[in-house]
């Protein structure tokens, strides 16, 4: 047996996935939902809405408690002493702020206090801004101005200054609360924070997640002194270093050995963001496949040769944890919007939703359901209808078609035709949704046999980096084989969807 563990700290849950690289099998999976498993904490969705000017934060102590619950559940399913290496996938852009004493808190191996009890006293900021936060328009403008305009920021960091990105978030807080900023000794991303917790010491940020900060020089794969200076005072000292995604950070900390029975020789590999991690977990870390992940946010991403950036400023270039770079398009109104439509239409289950979609005619009417302020395209909450009028009976189909068409339109800049689509995330299991994506993109849709691609990506990176003896290409072949049942596109719909995409572009005037 050669077991490795992948952890995914996402917006709504902590997932732990154990695979056996010798036998090529999944051994165990455990999850803790930040909302449902911790009702007393009163964050039913796992994050805190309704902050000032579009602030959306989360409680990092709840994340830590979620990790412990997922590990407790995992320990009932498999012997954690057999795990040889572990790595982390984390929701991107979210940041954790630590002050005096944080190194000792990370290293504290005592089991009489939990992780959240150890970390609570050393947080210099009680809550963590997350990717849903849109409060930093002003800071984005200031950063862009200091760096010579948005095009210059995009060329340097791979993205224009973007409200949810960590640099603008840091700037806003450093301006709001300079005293607490001064007391802050370390800023971590979600992925590097959890890798640090696991290792009991500061762990670097990888080039995949580091690129989601507007702070890293995308070509050099290291912090850009100019971007740091444009963001906040003293930032260089407060950030961990940047390292490639294949770096082994050290061994697991004494806490995890004593509390969960891990072996002291278990290796911790640097973490990465959930999208770069899914790129690996979907078997798409080399160019050729396009991945669409239908989760809280919907994202489209693909490994790319060289570096390409979106001059419209909506798409992003990130580091690929396996080397090179990846493109990313992120839509905020993903599963929460689909859920709102399902409730509004009165379909009690997703099966009924799927039946309604299948019963409506394709490529006629479409609507972009924006329950919240959207980032791609940048629009206030509301509905953008295009094509024929939408009725209550056609709304479910129209909404999914609208989402798919918007992703197609906003990923044109990537420049490579989609010949194979890999679909992941909760909604990808819905046959009606998968069929719409096949038809809209005009490409066959494959789904992965393992549903937790971000956690799987973390496990595969942990395996390769810690020397399991297999190369990533072999690991992908073994673990990322698509589930049986390809969903073929209907070529007769091609023209109708071309027209609908043109109508959407017109409605958005892009
Ligand atoms: C990507 C993004 C989201 C988060 C949460 O830029 O903001 O996909 O990573 O999943």
């Amino acid at each position: 047996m050669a077991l490795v563990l992948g952890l995914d700290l996402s917006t709504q849950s902590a997932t732990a996935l154990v695979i056996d690289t010798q036998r090529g099998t999944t051994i165990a999976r455990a999850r803790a939902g930040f909302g449902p498993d911790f009702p007393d904490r009163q964050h039913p969705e796992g994050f805190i809405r309704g902050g000032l000017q579009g602030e959306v934060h989360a409680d990092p102590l709840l994340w830590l408690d979620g990790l412990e619950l997922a590990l407790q559940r995992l320990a009932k399913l498999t012997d954690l002493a057999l795990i040889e290496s572990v790595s982390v996938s984390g929701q991107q852009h979210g940041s954790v702020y630590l002050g005096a004493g944080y190194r000792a808190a990370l290293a504290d191996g005592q089991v009489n206090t939990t992780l959240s009890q150890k970390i609570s006293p050393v947080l210099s900021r009680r809550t963590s801004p997350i990717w849903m936060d849109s409060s930093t328009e002003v800071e984005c403008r200031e950063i862009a101005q200091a760096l010579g305009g948005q095009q210059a920021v995009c060329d340097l960091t791979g993205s224009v200054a973007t409200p949810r990105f960590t640099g603008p978030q840091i700037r806003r807080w450093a301006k709001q609360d300079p005293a607490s900023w001064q007391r802050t000794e370390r800023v971590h991303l979600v992925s590097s924070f959890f890798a640090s917790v696991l290792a009991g010491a500061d762990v670097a940020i990888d080039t995949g997640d580091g690129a989601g900060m507007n702070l890293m020089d995308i070509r050099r794969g290291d912090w850009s002194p100019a971007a740091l200076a444009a963001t906040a005072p003293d930032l260089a000292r407060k950030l961990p270093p940047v390292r490639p995604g294949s770096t082994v950070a050290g061994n697991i900390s004494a806490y995890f050995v004593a509390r969960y029975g891990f072996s002291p020789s278990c290796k911790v590999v640097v973490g990465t963001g959930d999208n770069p991690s899914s790129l690996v977990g979907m078997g798409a870390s080399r160019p050729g496949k396009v991945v669409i992940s239908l989760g809280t946010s919907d994202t489209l991403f693909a490994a790319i040769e060289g570096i390409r950036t979106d001059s419209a400023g909506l798409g992003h270039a990130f580091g690929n944890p396996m080397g090179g770079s990846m493109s990313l398009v992120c839509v905020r109104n993903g599963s929460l919007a689909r859920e709102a439509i399902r409730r509004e239409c009165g379909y009690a289950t997703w099966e009924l939703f799927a039946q309604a979609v299948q019963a409506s005619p394709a490529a006629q009417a479409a609507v972009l359901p924006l329950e919240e302020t959207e980032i791609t395209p940048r629009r206030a909450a509301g509905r953008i209808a295009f094509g024929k009028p939408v009725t209550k009976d056609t709304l479910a189909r129209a909404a999914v078609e609208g989402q798919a068409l918007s992703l197609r339109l906003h990923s044109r800049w990537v420049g490579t035709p989609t010949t194979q689509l890999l679909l992941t995330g909760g909604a990808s299991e819905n046959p009606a949704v998968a069929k719409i994506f096949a038809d809209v993109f005009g490409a066959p849709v494959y789904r992965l046999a393992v549903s937790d691609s971000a956690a799987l990506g973390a496990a595969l990176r942990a395996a390769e980096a810690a020397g399991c003896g297999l190369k990533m290409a072999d690991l992908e072949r073994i673990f990322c084989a698509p589930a049986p049942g390809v969903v073929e596109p209907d070529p007769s719909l091609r023209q109708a969807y071309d027209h609908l995409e043109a109508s959407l572009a017109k409605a958005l005037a892009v």
Side-chain angles (χ1 to χ4, degrees):
M1 291 234 275
L3 303 193
V4 292
L5 168 61
L7 293 171
D8 177 32
L9 278 302
S10 76
T11 315
Q12 299 186 290
S13 56
T15 303
L17 180 77
V18 178
I19 58 171
D20 181 338
T21 55
Q22 257 164 29
R23 295 195 187 160
T25 52
T26 299
I27 298 288
R29 175 190 290 108
R31 196 190 308 272
F34 303 132
D37 278 314
F38 299 91
D40 299 352
R41 307 290 266 276
Q42 318 247 309
H43 302 321
E45 294 171 299
F47 51 86
I48 311 161
R49 280 184 196 277
L52 278 178
Q53 298 158 327
E55 281 178 355
V56 181
H57 285 205
D59 177 1
L61 302 179
L62 180 54
W63 293 339
L64 288 166
D65 291 339
L67 170 67
E68 299 229 44
L69 184 56
L71 288 179
Q72 279 159 29
R73 289 177 174 164
L74 190 70
K76 293 199 178 114
L77 304 174
T78 190
D79 180 1
L80 302 186
L82 300 175
I83 290 173
E84 295 178 357
S85 58
V86 53
S87 189
V88 180
S89 153
Q91 56 168 308
Q92 294 197 255
H93 319 299
S95 42
V96 180
Y97 299 75
L98 302 165
Y102 86 91
R103 285 192 177 84
L106 285 176
D108 179 357
Q110 302 298 320
V111 288
N112 55 352
T113 50
T114 63
L115 293 172
S116 62
Q117 285 165 340
K118 295 177 204 300
I119 296 295
S120 177
V122 300
L123 285 176
S124 58
R125 187 180 191 181
R126 300 308 309 169
T127 56
S128 293
I130 63 163
W131 64 275
M132 299 173 88
D133 189 301
S134 56
S135 66
T136 66
E137 290 288 349
V138 171
E139 289 70 24
C140 287
R141 276 201 297 278
E142 291 167 347
I143 290 170
Q145 200 177 10
L147 290 174
Q150 282 288 31
Q151 194 57 55
V153 184
C154 190
D155 290 344
L156 177 66
T157 71
S159 302
V160 297
T162 304
R164 70 185 187 285
F165 277 35
T166 325
Q169 296 288 342
I170 291 173
R171 180 168 178 81
R172 177 174 158 94
W173 188 60
K175 279 166 47 187
Q176 273 176 345
D177 190 351
S180 300
W181 173 247
Q182 214 181 357
R183 283 194 298 110
T184 299
E185 293 184 6
R186 183 59 84 228
V187 182
H188 270 297
L189 291 178
V190 176
S191 62
S192 64
F193 174 62
F194 278 93
S196 303
V197 165
L198 288 165
D202 262 328
V203 169
I205 288 176
D206 92 307
T207 52
D209 223 7
M213 301 173 84
N214 283 138
L215 297 175
M216 195 186 90
D217 180 330
I218 184 80
R219 287 175 178 79
R220 282 196 305 111
D222 202 355
W223 301 130
S224 151
L228 266 47
T231 300
D234 239 3
L235 182 51
R237 275 204 300 129
K238 298 177 197 269
L239 290 171
V242 184
R243 292 281 178 270
S246 54
T247 310
V248 177
N251 287 4
I252 201 156
S253 87
Y255 177 79
F256 291 90
V257 175
R259 177 77 181 81
Y260 296 103
F262 279 89
S263 155
S265 63
C266 173
K267 300 269 177 275
V268 178
V269 173
V270 295
T272 192
D274 55 356
N275 296 297
S277 196
S278 279
L279 185 79
V280 178
M282 293 297 291
S285 65
R286 279 157 301 154
K289 297 170 184 167
V290 172
V291 180
I292 293 183
S293 167
L294 302 173
T296 315
S297 64
D298 286 347
T299 53
L300 176 149
F301 47 86
I304 46 178
E305 306 279 6
I307 291 171
R308 220 167 299 149
T309 53
D310 179 15
S311 58
L314 296 175
H316 310 287
F318 291 159
N320 173 345
M322 299 315 298
S325 72
M326 65 180 279
S327 57
L328 178 117
V329 177
C330 176
V331 172
R332 192 176 174 202
N333 284 276
S335 58
L336 298 177
R338 283 183 289 276
E339 180 70 45
I341 297 283
R342 183 178 69 78
R343 279 199 310 267
E344 180 180 325
C345 293
Y347 305 128
T349 62
W350 285 108
E351 286 70 39
L352 291 172
F353 180 95
Q355 280 168 23
V357 169
Q358 281 152 349
S360 325
Q364 303 280 311
V367 66
L368 251 194
L370 309 181
E371 297 301 307
E372 326 220 11
T373 310
E374 183 49 72
I375 50 180
T376 311
R378 289 201 186 95
R379 281 290 184 287
R383 291 204 177 146
I384 300 168
F386 49 106
K388 289 193 184 147
V390 178
T391 66
K392 192 165 171 294
D393 289 340
T394 59
L395 179 59
R397 170 179 277 280
V400 180
E401 285 181 328
Q403 290 182 320
L405 281 162
S406 181
L407 268 178
R408 184 176 122 163
L409 173 66
H410 291 104
S411 59
R412 289 254 175 244
W413 64 274
V414 180
T416 39
T418 307
T419 48
Q420 205 181 15
L421 204 57
L422 302 176
L423 214 55
T424 180
S428 67
E429 284 154 34
N430 188 310
V433 171
K435 178 74 173 113
I436 287 178
F437 275 83
D439 289 342
V440 166
F441 280 83
V445 162
Y446 296 85
R447 280 165 291 186
L448 194 64
V450 172
S451 54
D452 298 296
S453 57
L456 177 60
L460 297 182
R461 286 193 314 103
E464 199 204 33
C468 74
L470 291 170
K471 290 276 159 230
M472 187 54 79
D474 302 319
L475 289 166
E476 285 185 351
R477 194 174 29 75
I478 299 168
F479 287 98
C480 311
V486 51
V487 183
E488 293 289 353
D490 177 349
S492 72
L493 294 172
R494 194 194 164 122
Q495 238 185 1
Y497 279 125
D498 285 348
H499 281 132
L500 271 181
E501 185 190 326
S503 314
L504 174 62
K506 210 159 134 209
L508 298 172
V510 286

